[in-house]
Amino acid sequence: MTDNTNSKTPRDGSRVSAWQTTGVPEVPAVSSIAGHYDVIVAGAGLSGMTTALLLQQQGKKCLVLEAASPGFGTTGGTTAHLNNFFDATYPEVESDFGEEAAALLARSGNEAMDQIKTLSARYGIDCDFEHKDAFLFSQDEQETKELDQMLAASQRAGVIVEEAAGNGTVIPFERAIRYENQAQFHPLKYLAGLVRAYQELGGELANGKLVTGTEVKDEKVLVSCGEETYGCSHFVYATHLPPGINQFSFKCAPYRSYVIGVTLTDGNYPEALIYDMKEPYHYLRTHEIDGQKYLIAGGEDHKTGHGDPEQSLATLRDYVAEHFRIGQIAFSWSSQYYVSVDGLPYIGAMPGSGDRIFTGTGFNGNGMIFGTLTGMIVSDLILGKQNPYAALFDPGRVKPVASFTEFVKEQADVAYHFIADRFRAEDLPELADLGVNEGKVVSYDGKKIAIYKDETGKVTALSPTCTHAGCIVDFNPLEKTWDCPCHGGRYDLQGRVITGPPQKALKQIGLDS
Ligand SMILES: Cc1cc2nc3c(=O)[nH]c(=O)nc-3n(C[C@H](O)[C@H](O)[C@H](O)COP(=O)(O)OP(=O)(O)OC[C@H]3O[C@@H](n4cnc5c(N)ncnc54)[C@H](O)[C@@H]3O)c2cc1C
């Protein structure tokens, strides 16, 4: 397998996604972050930049604080299908929230897609936006039954969809439905355009600023970035989970999904967006990058820290190879998304913040749409305007969900462990067995240690206790990171925070040779 190393935009993993060959423009260093801002946004992914641009456009003085650089998060590792049907299916939404809510959800998807088109047109963002049909297909009796329910509920919600004779690709199927007027785009070209437009309107953006906390005081929000503090009237977390332990830590679960970008020897690239109904499902589409077409195929999702990343990628490769004639595997990567407890995202004011602090999270695999809606809803709320979708996605909604107890239990698998401070190499037999570029959590004298051996044989030892809520991290051999199975905090090989809610690095452990 060849991996494209021509990456212009850094990302939170060691694998290079198909989009990273396009650079998000260098963000000029902000000379000084001074004075009071109307709005500060944490996170320069699609959600944060859409929010900041829509507010800056309305004359607000905005500052975006980004822990790394724009596109570093999931926006750089997405697959950028744009749909008005979602991972929370219309039958599920109808049954949990009612028919009216399902229709509202459908309209919100259409409006978000229109918003992407509007911003692209207004600011001349050339992001390869194309309308496409989307095919969803069943492969056995049970799936066909579910597909029929999906068709009926989607139509009741007002979505344009019908039964189709084909499924838009070569994969065998039993029944297929076709959603009209879906779309795709290049996520980093779009993000680059948002950043450019925002800065041209006078918006400020600072890289390398990890927001570590917020406090509402005297009608103001004080935003902490390590030792520094900034002030604003309203603050937005566009960072998936807000840092620290709060209700979202228990209402959203982190998942990883896997993607490969391949060339096909027979040129049989699907024209449409394609989805099967497996659990987890596969998603496919085609994108031309620098004159070369690629089939972009994703799937094999699992809860972060609970699966085998290398196996997931291998299974995805086998799935694609079973149905397509692969020429070259040009890209392979994984990325992270968050699932909410009741299936719909949380977008709006954080409960208890007095309408000063806002968030958009729990997007599942639909964050291009829900991230755009975050911009639309949060900017309306900050500007004091009504938004038709605010109630549906309200983070403070109280929704009794049957699976809630199990979900909370699963999320609360927080354990406290004794961690070694130092250890001697000769006392740890696992060190000899540890392969190059391999990492694992081992026990030493009843205590746990995370060890990693680099290609020169040098071993790094860390405390495996996530600094967020005390769970034990797991080694991700694909992205060369330490991932927390509870809330999705991720650390690099030196233990530094890459992403997620932790604010502090994993503790280094001394190794005596
Ligand atoms: C493999 C995969 C495929 C997907 N495919 C699709 C798809 O086809 N269609 C779709 O609609 N959705 C898809 N999604 C979901 C979608 O990509 C994401 O929901 C979306 O990119 C999230 O954007 P965001 O701006 O909210 O987050 P991100 O892009 O992750 O941006 C968050 C930013 O916040 C920064 N940050 C984090 N913490 C802090 C902090 N404390 N202070 C300051 N900055 C911070 C990060 O560095 C990052 O840059 C997919 C997800 C995955 C994993």
Side-chain angles (χ1 to χ4, degrees), residues 12 42-48 65-83 209-212 237-241 243 255-259 283 333-337 360 363-371 498-500:
D12 60 3
L46 179 134
S47 307
L65 297 171
E66 163 55 48
S69 52
F72 184 77
T74 311
T75 301
T78 185
T79 50
H81 300 221
L82 302 173
N83 305 105
K209 299 281 183 193
L210 179 78
V211 172
T212 48
Y237 278 118
T239 58
H240 299 281
L241 292 190
Y255 280 76
R256 300 215 52 91
S257 190
Y258 297 83
V259 188
Y283 46 101
W333 73 93
S334 69
S335 192
Q336 187 154 298
Y337 63 89
F363 296 157
N364 220 316
N366 309 115
M368 299 285 102
I369 292 296
F370 291 139
I498 305 177
T499 189

Short mmCIF file of all heavy atoms in Angstrom, two decimals, residues 12 42-48 65-83 209-212 237-241 243 255-259 283 333-337 360 363-371 498-500, ligand 1:
data_model
loop_
_atom_site.label_atom_id
_atom_site.label_comp_id
_atom_site.label_asym_id
_atom_site.label_seq_id
_atom_site.Cartn_x
_atom_site.Cartn_y
_atom_site.Cartn_z
N ASP A 12 -5.14 15.18 12.85
CA ASP A 12 -4.90 14.57 14.17
C ASP A 12 -4.64 13.07 14.09
O ASP A 12 -5.18 12.30 14.88
CB ASP A 12 -6.08 14.87 15.10
CG ASP A 12 -7.40 14.33 14.56
OD1 ASP A 12 -7.39 13.68 13.49
OD2 ASP A 12 -8.45 14.54 15.20
N ALA A 42 -14.10 28.37 19.81
CA ALA A 42 -12.99 27.41 19.93
C ALA A 42 -13.17 26.35 18.86
O ALA A 42 -14.24 25.72 18.78
CB ALA A 42 -12.98 26.77 21.31
N GLY A 43 -12.13 26.15 18.02
CA GLY A 43 -12.18 25.10 17.01
C GLY A 43 -12.37 25.66 15.61
O GLY A 43 -13.37 26.32 15.34
N ALA A 44 -11.39 25.41 14.73
CA ALA A 44 -11.48 25.89 13.34
C ALA A 44 -11.71 24.74 12.38
O ALA A 44 -11.00 24.57 11.39
CB ALA A 44 -10.22 26.68 12.97
N GLY A 45 -12.71 23.90 12.69
CA GLY A 45 -13.21 22.93 11.71
C GLY A 45 -14.40 23.56 11.00
O GLY A 45 -14.64 24.78 11.11
N LEU A 46 -15.16 22.74 10.30
CA LEU A 46 -16.30 23.28 9.54
C LEU A 46 -17.31 23.97 10.46
O LEU A 46 -17.83 25.04 10.12
CB LEU A 46 -16.97 22.15 8.76
CG LEU A 46 -18.18 22.58 7.95
CD1 LEU A 46 -18.12 22.00 6.55
CD2 LEU A 46 -19.47 22.14 8.62
N SER A 47 -17.57 23.41 11.66
CA SER A 47 -18.57 24.01 12.55
C SER A 47 -18.12 25.38 13.03
O SER A 47 -18.88 26.35 12.98
CB SER A 47 -18.80 23.13 13.79
OG SER A 47 -19.10 21.83 13.44
N GLY A 48 -16.88 25.44 13.54
CA GLY A 48 -16.38 26.69 14.10
C GLY A 48 -16.26 27.78 13.05
O GLY A 48 -16.65 28.93 13.28
N LEU A 65 -10.19 30.55 18.27
CA LEU A 65 -9.01 29.97 18.92
C LEU A 65 -8.94 28.50 18.53
O LEU A 65 -9.86 27.73 18.83
CB LEU A 65 -9.14 30.09 20.45
CG LEU A 65 -9.18 31.52 20.99
CD1 LEU A 65 -9.53 31.52 22.48
CD2 LEU A 65 -7.85 32.23 20.76
N GLU A 66 -7.89 28.12 17.83
CA GLU A 66 -7.76 26.74 17.33
C GLU A 66 -6.56 26.09 18.01
O GLU A 66 -5.45 26.63 17.98
CB GLU A 66 -7.61 26.78 15.80
CG GLU A 66 -7.07 25.52 15.16
CD GLU A 66 -7.84 24.23 15.47
OE1 GLU A 66 -9.07 24.22 15.37
OE2 GLU A 66 -7.18 23.23 15.82
N ALA A 67 -6.79 24.90 18.58
CA ALA A 67 -5.73 24.20 19.32
C ALA A 67 -4.55 23.85 18.42
O ALA A 67 -3.40 23.87 18.85
CB ALA A 67 -6.28 22.93 19.95
N ALA A 68 -4.82 23.52 17.16
CA ALA A 68 -3.74 23.14 16.23
C ALA A 68 -3.78 24.11 15.05
O ALA A 68 -3.24 25.21 15.13
CB ALA A 68 -3.93 21.69 15.79
N SER A 69 -4.42 23.71 13.95
CA SER A 69 -4.59 24.60 12.79
C SER A 69 -5.89 24.20 12.09
O SER A 69 -6.40 23.09 12.30
CB SER A 69 -3.39 24.48 11.84
OG SER A 69 -3.17 23.13 11.52
N PRO A 70 -6.46 25.08 11.25
CA PRO A 70 -7.76 24.77 10.63
C PRO A 70 -7.71 23.45 9.86
O PRO A 70 -6.76 23.19 9.12
CB PRO A 70 -7.97 25.95 9.68
CG PRO A 70 -7.19 27.07 10.28
CD PRO A 70 -5.97 26.42 10.89
N GLY A 71 -8.73 22.61 10.06
CA GLY A 71 -8.80 21.34 9.34
C GLY A 71 -8.09 20.20 10.05
O GLY A 71 -8.07 19.08 9.56
N PHE A 72 -7.52 20.47 11.22
CA PHE A 72 -6.75 19.46 11.96
C PHE A 72 -7.65 18.34 12.48
O PHE A 72 -7.23 17.21 12.63
CB PHE A 72 -6.05 20.16 13.13
CG PHE A 72 -5.14 19.27 13.93
CD1 PHE A 72 -3.89 18.93 13.45
CD2 PHE A 72 -5.53 18.77 15.17
CE1 PHE A 72 -3.04 18.11 14.19
CE2 PHE A 72 -4.69 17.96 15.92
CZ PHE A 72 -3.44 17.63 15.42
N GLY A 73 -8.91 18.65 12.73
CA GLY A 73 -9.83 17.67 13.32
C GLY A 73 -10.53 16.84 12.27
O GLY A 73 -9.99 16.57 11.19
N THR A 74 -11.76 16.45 12.55
CA THR A 74 -12.48 15.51 11.69
C THR A 74 -12.78 16.10 10.31
O THR A 74 -12.92 15.35 9.34
CB THR A 74 -13.78 15.06 12.40
OG1 THR A 74 -13.44 14.67 13.74
CG2 THR A 74 -14.42 13.89 11.71
N THR A 75 -12.85 17.42 10.21
CA THR A 75 -13.10 18.04 8.90
C THR A 75 -12.00 17.65 7.90
O THR A 75 -12.26 17.56 6.70
CB THR A 75 -13.23 19.57 9.05
OG1 THR A 75 -14.30 19.82 9.97
CG2 THR A 75 -13.51 20.26 7.74
N GLY A 76 -10.79 17.38 8.39
CA GLY A 76 -9.71 16.93 7.51
C GLY A 76 -9.75 15.43 7.26
O GLY A 76 -8.99 14.92 6.44
N GLY A 77 -10.63 14.71 7.96
CA GLY A 77 -10.65 13.25 7.82
C GLY A 77 -12.03 12.71 7.51
O GLY A 77 -12.31 11.53 7.68
N THR A 78 -12.90 13.59 7.03
CA THR A 78 -14.28 13.21 6.73
C THR A 78 -14.37 12.58 5.35
O THR A 78 -13.35 12.34 4.69
CB THR A 78 -15.18 14.48 6.80
OG1 THR A 78 -16.53 14.10 6.64
CG2 THR A 78 -14.81 15.50 5.72
N THR A 79 -15.61 12.29 4.87
CA THR A 79 -15.75 11.89 3.46
C THR A 79 -16.67 12.85 2.71
O THR A 79 -16.84 12.71 1.51
CB THR A 79 -16.29 10.45 3.32
OG1 THR A 79 -17.45 10.31 4.12
CG2 THR A 79 -15.25 9.44 3.75
N ALA A 80 -17.29 13.79 3.45
CA ALA A 80 -17.99 14.92 2.84
C ALA A 80 -19.11 14.55 1.87
O ALA A 80 -19.20 15.07 0.77
CB ALA A 80 -16.98 15.86 2.18
N HIS A 81 -19.96 13.61 2.30
CA HIS A 81 -21.25 13.41 1.63
C HIS A 81 -22.19 14.44 2.26
O HIS A 81 -22.14 14.66 3.48
CB HIS A 81 -21.86 12.05 1.94
CG HIS A 81 -21.04 10.86 1.54
ND1 HIS A 81 -21.62 9.75 0.97
CD2 HIS A 81 -19.72 10.57 1.64
CE1 HIS A 81 -20.69 8.83 0.74
NE2 HIS A 81 -19.52 9.30 1.14
N LEU A 82 -23.05 15.03 1.46
CA LEU A 82 -24.02 15.99 2.01
C LEU A 82 -25.42 15.41 1.79
O LEU A 82 -25.84 15.24 0.65
CB LEU A 82 -23.88 17.34 1.32
CG LEU A 82 -22.49 17.98 1.43
CD1 LEU A 82 -22.39 19.22 0.56
CD2 LEU A 82 -22.16 18.31 2.88
N ASN A 83 -26.09 15.10 2.90
CA ASN A 83 -27.37 14.38 2.80
C ASN A 83 -28.48 15.06 3.59
O ASN A 83 -28.20 15.73 4.57
CB ASN A 83 -27.24 12.96 3.37
CG ASN A 83 -26.12 12.18 2.72
OD1 ASN A 83 -25.07 11.98 3.31
ND2 ASN A 83 -26.34 11.75 1.50
N LYS A 209 -3.89 27.43 20.03
CA LYS A 209 -4.51 27.93 21.28
C LYS A 209 -5.53 26.92 21.77
O LYS A 209 -6.67 26.86 21.28
CB LYS A 209 -5.21 29.27 21.02
CG LYS A 209 -4.29 30.38 20.55
CD LYS A 209 -3.52 30.97 21.72
CE LYS A 209 -2.65 32.13 21.28
NZ LYS A 209 -1.69 32.52 22.31
N LEU A 210 -5.14 26.10 22.72
CA LEU A 210 -6.04 25.10 23.31
C LEU A 210 -6.86 25.76 24.41
O LEU A 210 -6.31 26.20 25.42
CB LEU A 210 -5.22 23.94 23.88
CG LEU A 210 -6.03 22.83 24.55
CD1 LEU A 210 -6.66 21.91 23.50
CD2 LEU A 210 -5.17 22.00 25.50
N VAL A 211 -8.16 25.85 24.20
CA VAL A 211 -9.03 26.42 25.23
C VAL A 211 -9.17 25.40 26.35
O VAL A 211 -9.52 24.24 26.11
CB VAL A 211 -10.41 26.79 24.64
CG1 VAL A 211 -11.38 27.20 25.74
CG2 VAL A 211 -10.26 27.91 23.62
N THR A 212 -8.88 25.82 27.57
CA THR A 212 -8.90 24.86 28.69
C THR A 212 -10.08 25.08 29.63
O THR A 212 -10.34 24.25 30.50
CB THR A 212 -7.58 24.94 29.48
OG1 THR A 212 -7.29 26.32 29.76
CG2 THR A 212 -6.43 24.34 28.70
N TYR A 237 -18.18 26.51 21.75
CA TYR A 237 -17.31 25.34 21.65
C TYR A 237 -17.65 24.59 20.37
O TYR A 237 -18.69 23.94 20.28
CB TYR A 237 -17.55 24.38 22.83
CG TYR A 237 -16.82 24.74 24.09
CD1 TYR A 237 -17.53 25.05 25.26
CD2 TYR A 237 -15.44 24.76 24.14
CE1 TYR A 237 -16.86 25.37 26.43
CE2 TYR A 237 -14.76 25.08 25.31
CZ TYR A 237 -15.47 25.38 26.45
OH TYR A 237 -14.81 25.70 27.60
N ALA A 238 -16.77 24.68 19.36
CA ALA A 238 -16.95 23.89 18.14
C ALA A 238 -15.84 22.85 18.11
O ALA A 238 -15.07 22.74 17.15
CB ALA A 238 -16.90 24.80 16.92
N THR A 239 -15.72 22.11 19.21
CA THR A 239 -14.58 21.21 19.45
C THR A 239 -15.05 19.77 19.69
O THR A 239 -14.35 19.01 20.34
CB THR A 239 -13.84 21.67 20.72
OG1 THR A 239 -14.77 21.67 21.81
CG2 THR A 239 -13.27 23.07 20.57
N HIS A 240 -16.22 19.39 19.22
CA HIS A 240 -16.88 18.15 19.62
C HIS A 240 -17.25 18.30 21.09
O HIS A 240 -18.14 19.06 21.39
CB HIS A 240 -16.03 16.90 19.36
CG HIS A 240 -15.71 16.73 17.91
ND1 HIS A 240 -16.61 16.20 17.02
CD2 HIS A 240 -14.61 17.05 17.20
CE1 HIS A 240 -16.07 16.20 15.81
NE2 HIS A 240 -14.86 16.72 15.89
N LEU A 241 -16.51 17.62 22.00
CA LEU A 241 -16.86 17.77 23.41
C LEU A 241 -16.19 19.01 23.99
O LEU A 241 -15.01 19.25 23.74
CB LEU A 241 -16.40 16.55 24.20
CG LEU A 241 -17.11 15.24 23.91
CD1 LEU A 241 -16.71 14.19 24.92
CD2 LEU A 241 -18.61 15.40 23.88
N PRO A 243 -14.16 20.93 26.82
CA PRO A 243 -13.18 20.32 27.73
C PRO A 243 -13.76 20.14 29.13
O PRO A 243 -14.77 20.74 29.47
CB PRO A 243 -12.03 21.33 27.74
CG PRO A 243 -12.59 22.60 27.23
CD PRO A 243 -13.79 22.27 26.39
N TYR A 255 -16.62 7.56 18.35
CA TYR A 255 -16.47 6.42 17.44
C TYR A 255 -15.40 6.72 16.42
O TYR A 255 -15.18 7.88 16.07
CB TYR A 255 -17.79 6.15 16.68
CG TYR A 255 -18.77 5.38 17.51
CD1 TYR A 255 -19.48 6.01 18.53
CD2 TYR A 255 -18.98 4.02 17.29
CE1 TYR A 255 -20.37 5.30 19.32
CE2 TYR A 255 -19.87 3.31 18.08
CZ TYR A 255 -20.56 3.95 19.09
OH TYR A 255 -21.43 3.25 19.88
N ARG A 256 -14.74 5.67 15.91
CA ARG A 256 -13.79 5.84 14.81
C ARG A 256 -14.37 5.19 13.56
O ARG A 256 -15.04 4.17 13.64
CB ARG A 256 -12.43 5.22 15.16
CG ARG A 256 -11.86 5.90 16.38
CD ARG A 256 -10.39 6.07 16.42
NE ARG A 256 -9.74 6.68 15.30
CZ ARG A 256 -9.49 7.99 15.18
NH1 ARG A 256 -9.90 8.84 16.10
NH2 ARG A 256 -8.84 8.46 14.14
N SER A 257 -14.12 5.84 12.42
CA SER A 257 -14.54 5.27 11.14
C SER A 257 -13.32 5.24 10.22
O SER A 257 -12.40 6.04 10.38
CB SER A 257 -15.67 6.11 10.54
OG SER A 257 -16.21 5.44 9.43
N TYR A 258 -13.33 4.32 9.26
CA TYR A 258 -12.16 4.05 8.42
C TYR A 258 -12.48 4.35 6.96
O TYR A 258 -13.61 4.11 6.51
CB TYR A 258 -11.74 2.57 8.59
CG TYR A 258 -11.33 2.34 10.02
CD1 TYR A 258 -12.29 2.08 11.00
CD2 TYR A 258 -10.01 2.49 10.41
CE1 TYR A 258 -11.93 1.94 12.34
CE2 TYR A 258 -9.64 2.35 11.74
CZ TYR A 258 -10.61 2.08 12.70
OH TYR A 258 -10.25 1.97 14.02
N VAL A 259 -11.48 4.85 6.24
CA VAL A 259 -11.71 5.26 4.85
C VAL A 259 -10.52 4.85 3.99
O VAL A 259 -9.37 4.96 4.44
CB VAL A 259 -11.89 6.80 4.73
CG1 VAL A 259 -12.33 7.18 3.33
CG2 VAL A 259 -12.89 7.33 5.76
N TYR A 283 -20.03 3.30 3.12
CA TYR A 283 -20.43 4.49 2.36
C TYR A 283 -19.37 4.75 1.30
O TYR A 283 -18.18 4.69 1.57
CB TYR A 283 -20.64 5.70 3.28
CG TYR A 283 -19.57 5.93 4.32
CD1 TYR A 283 -18.58 6.90 4.13
CD2 TYR A 283 -19.53 5.19 5.50
CE1 TYR A 283 -17.61 7.14 5.09
CE2 TYR A 283 -18.55 5.41 6.46
CZ TYR A 283 -17.59 6.38 6.25
OH TYR A 283 -16.61 6.59 7.20
N TRP A 333 -7.13 6.06 5.91
CA TRP A 333 -7.06 6.84 7.14
C TRP A 333 -8.25 6.52 8.03
O TRP A 333 -9.16 5.77 7.63
CB TRP A 333 -7.00 8.33 6.83
CG TRP A 333 -8.26 8.99 6.34
CD1 TRP A 333 -9.20 9.62 7.11
CD2 TRP A 333 -8.71 9.13 4.98
NE1 TRP A 333 -10.20 10.14 6.31
CE2 TRP A 333 -9.93 9.85 5.00
CE3 TRP A 333 -8.22 8.71 3.74
CZ2 TRP A 333 -10.66 10.17 3.85
CZ3 TRP A 333 -8.95 9.02 2.59
CH2 TRP A 333 -10.15 9.74 2.66
N SER A 334 -8.23 7.06 9.23
CA SER A 334 -9.38 6.93 10.12
C SER A 334 -9.62 8.27 10.79
O SER A 334 -8.73 9.13 10.80
CB SER A 334 -9.14 5.85 11.18
OG SER A 334 -8.15 6.28 12.08
N SER A 335 -10.81 8.45 11.30
CA SER A 335 -11.11 9.71 11.97
C SER A 335 -12.23 9.48 12.99
O SER A 335 -12.78 8.38 13.07
CB SER A 335 -11.50 10.77 10.93
OG SER A 335 -11.52 12.05 11.52
N GLN A 336 -12.55 10.51 13.75
CA GLN A 336 -13.44 10.32 14.91
C GLN A 336 -14.70 11.18 14.83
O GLN A 336 -14.64 12.33 14.42
CB GLN A 336 -12.65 10.70 16.16
CG GLN A 336 -13.36 10.40 17.46
CD GLN A 336 -12.37 10.19 18.59
OE1 GLN A 336 -11.56 9.26 18.54
NE2 GLN A 336 -12.40 11.04 19.59
N TYR A 337 -15.81 10.58 15.23
CA TYR A 337 -17.06 11.34 15.35
C TYR A 337 -17.73 10.97 16.67
O TYR A 337 -17.35 10.00 17.32
CB TYR A 337 -17.99 11.08 14.16
CG TYR A 337 -18.47 9.65 14.02
CD1 TYR A 337 -19.62 9.21 14.65
CD2 TYR A 337 -17.77 8.73 13.24
CE1 TYR A 337 -20.06 7.90 14.52
CE2 TYR A 337 -18.20 7.42 13.10
CZ TYR A 337 -19.35 7.01 13.75
OH TYR A 337 -19.78 5.71 13.63
N GLY A 360 -21.96 22.78 19.51
CA GLY A 360 -22.55 21.91 18.50
C GLY A 360 -21.78 20.61 18.58
O GLY A 360 -20.57 20.59 18.36
N PHE A 363 -22.69 14.83 16.35
CA PHE A 363 -23.14 14.92 14.94
C PHE A 363 -23.26 13.56 14.26
O PHE A 363 -23.71 13.48 13.12
CB PHE A 363 -22.16 15.75 14.12
CG PHE A 363 -22.05 17.19 14.53
CD1 PHE A 363 -20.91 17.92 14.22
CD2 PHE A 363 -23.08 17.81 15.21
CE1 PHE A 363 -20.81 19.26 14.58
CE2 PHE A 363 -22.99 19.15 15.58
CZ PHE A 363 -21.84 19.87 15.26
N ASN A 364 -22.75 12.48 14.94
CA ASN A 364 -22.72 11.19 14.27
C ASN A 364 -21.93 11.32 12.95
O ASN A 364 -21.05 12.17 12.88
CB ASN A 364 -24.16 10.71 14.02
CG ASN A 364 -24.31 9.22 14.27
OD1 ASN A 364 -23.47 8.44 13.85
ND2 ASN A 364 -25.36 8.84 14.96
N GLY A 365 -22.29 10.60 11.89
CA GLY A 365 -21.55 10.72 10.62
C GLY A 365 -22.14 11.76 9.71
O GLY A 365 -22.02 11.66 8.48
N ASN A 366 -22.80 12.78 10.27
CA ASN A 366 -23.48 13.78 9.44
C ASN A 366 -23.05 15.20 9.78
O ASN A 366 -23.83 16.15 9.68
CB ASN A 366 -25.01 13.66 9.63
CG ASN A 366 -25.50 12.24 9.44
OD1 ASN A 366 -25.99 11.62 10.37
ND2 ASN A 366 -25.34 11.70 8.25
N GLY A 367 -21.78 15.35 10.19
CA GLY A 367 -21.33 16.63 10.72
C GLY A 367 -21.10 17.72 9.69
O GLY A 367 -20.96 18.89 10.07
N MET A 368 -21.06 17.38 8.39
CA MET A 368 -20.96 18.46 7.39
C MET A 368 -22.28 19.26 7.42
O MET A 368 -22.28 20.48 7.33
CB MET A 368 -20.74 17.89 5.98
CG MET A 368 -19.48 17.07 5.82
SD MET A 368 -18.00 18.10 5.73
CE MET A 368 -17.34 17.91 7.38
N ILE A 369 -23.38 18.52 7.56
CA ILE A 369 -24.69 19.16 7.62
C ILE A 369 -24.91 19.76 9.02
O ILE A 369 -25.26 20.93 9.16
CB ILE A 369 -25.80 18.11 7.30
CG1 ILE A 369 -25.70 17.68 5.82
CG2 ILE A 369 -27.19 18.65 7.63
CD1 ILE A 369 -25.97 18.76 4.81
N PHE A 370 -24.68 18.95 10.07
CA PHE A 370 -24.96 19.45 11.43
C PHE A 370 -23.95 20.52 11.86
O PHE A 370 -24.28 21.39 12.67
CB PHE A 370 -25.00 18.29 12.42
CG PHE A 370 -26.20 17.39 12.24
CD1 PHE A 370 -26.08 16.00 12.33
CD2 PHE A 370 -27.46 17.92 11.97
CE1 PHE A 370 -27.18 15.17 12.16
CE2 PHE A 370 -28.57 17.09 11.79
CZ PHE A 370 -28.43 15.72 11.88
N GLY A 371 -22.73 20.46 11.33
CA GLY A 371 -21.75 21.52 11.62
C GLY A 371 -22.20 22.83 10.98
O GLY A 371 -22.06 23.91 11.56
N ILE A 498 -3.81 15.58 21.64
CA ILE A 498 -4.04 15.92 20.23
C ILE A 498 -5.45 16.46 20.08
O ILE A 498 -5.70 17.45 19.41
CB ILE A 498 -3.93 14.69 19.30
CG1 ILE A 498 -2.61 13.99 19.46
CG2 ILE A 498 -4.15 15.09 17.86
CD1 ILE A 498 -2.53 12.75 18.60
N THR A 499 -6.40 15.78 20.69
CA THR A 499 -7.78 16.21 20.53
C THR A 499 -8.66 15.62 21.63
O THR A 499 -8.22 14.73 22.35
CB THR A 499 -8.30 15.80 19.13
OG1 THR A 499 -9.56 16.41 18.90
CG2 THR A 499 -8.48 14.30 19.00
N GLY A 500 -9.88 16.12 21.73
CA GLY A 500 -10.81 15.61 22.72
C GLY A 500 -10.80 16.46 23.98
O GLY A 500 -10.13 17.49 24.03
C1 LIG B 1 -14.45 8.91 8.64
C2 LIG B 1 -15.56 9.92 8.77
C3 LIG B 1 -16.36 10.20 7.68
C4 LIG B 1 -17.37 11.16 7.79
N1 LIG B 1 -18.14 11.41 6.69
C5 LIG B 1 -19.09 12.35 6.76
C6 LIG B 1 -19.88 12.64 5.62
O1 LIG B 1 -19.71 12.02 4.57
N2 LIG B 1 -20.82 13.60 5.72
C7 LIG B 1 -21.03 14.29 6.89
O2 LIG B 1 -21.92 15.13 6.93
N3 LIG B 1 -20.28 14.05 7.99
C8 LIG B 1 -19.32 13.11 7.95
N4 LIG B 1 -18.56 12.84 9.05
C9 LIG B 1 -18.71 13.69 10.24
C10 LIG B 1 -18.05 15.05 10.02
O3 LIG B 1 -16.86 14.90 9.29
C11 LIG B 1 -17.70 15.73 11.34
O4 LIG B 1 -18.83 15.70 12.18
C12 LIG B 1 -17.30 17.18 11.12
O5 LIG B 1 -16.12 17.23 10.34
C13 LIG B 1 -17.08 17.87 12.45
O6 LIG B 1 -16.61 19.17 12.20
P1 LIG B 1 -16.27 20.09 13.44
O7 LIG B 1 -15.85 21.39 12.92
O8 LIG B 1 -17.39 20.06 14.40
O9 LIG B 1 -15.08 19.33 14.17
P2 LIG B 1 -13.55 19.22 13.73
O10 LIG B 1 -13.37 19.27 12.27
O11 LIG B 1 -13.01 18.03 14.44
O12 LIG B 1 -12.91 20.53 14.30
C14 LIG B 1 -12.72 20.73 15.68
C15 LIG B 1 -11.50 21.62 15.84
O13 LIG B 1 -11.42 22.01 17.20
C16 LIG B 1 -10.05 22.01 17.59
N5 LIG B 1 -10.08 21.86 19.04
C17 LIG B 1 -10.40 20.75 19.76
N6 LIG B 1 -10.36 21.04 21.09
C18 LIG B 1 -10.03 22.35 21.20
C19 LIG B 1 -9.87 23.23 22.30
N7 LIG B 1 -10.07 22.82 23.55
N8 LIG B 1 -9.51 24.51 22.04
C20 LIG B 1 -9.33 24.97 20.76
N9 LIG B 1 -9.49 24.16 19.69
C21 LIG B 1 -9.85 22.88 19.90
C22 LIG B 1 -9.45 20.83 16.85
O14 LIG B 1 -8.05 20.96 16.71
C23 LIG B 1 -10.19 20.90 15.52
O15 LIG B 1 -9.48 21.63 14.55
C24 LIG B 1 -17.58 11.86 9.00
C25 LIG B 1 -16.79 11.57 10.11
C26 LIG B 1 -15.79 10.60 10.01
C27 LIG B 1 -14.96 10.28 11.21
#
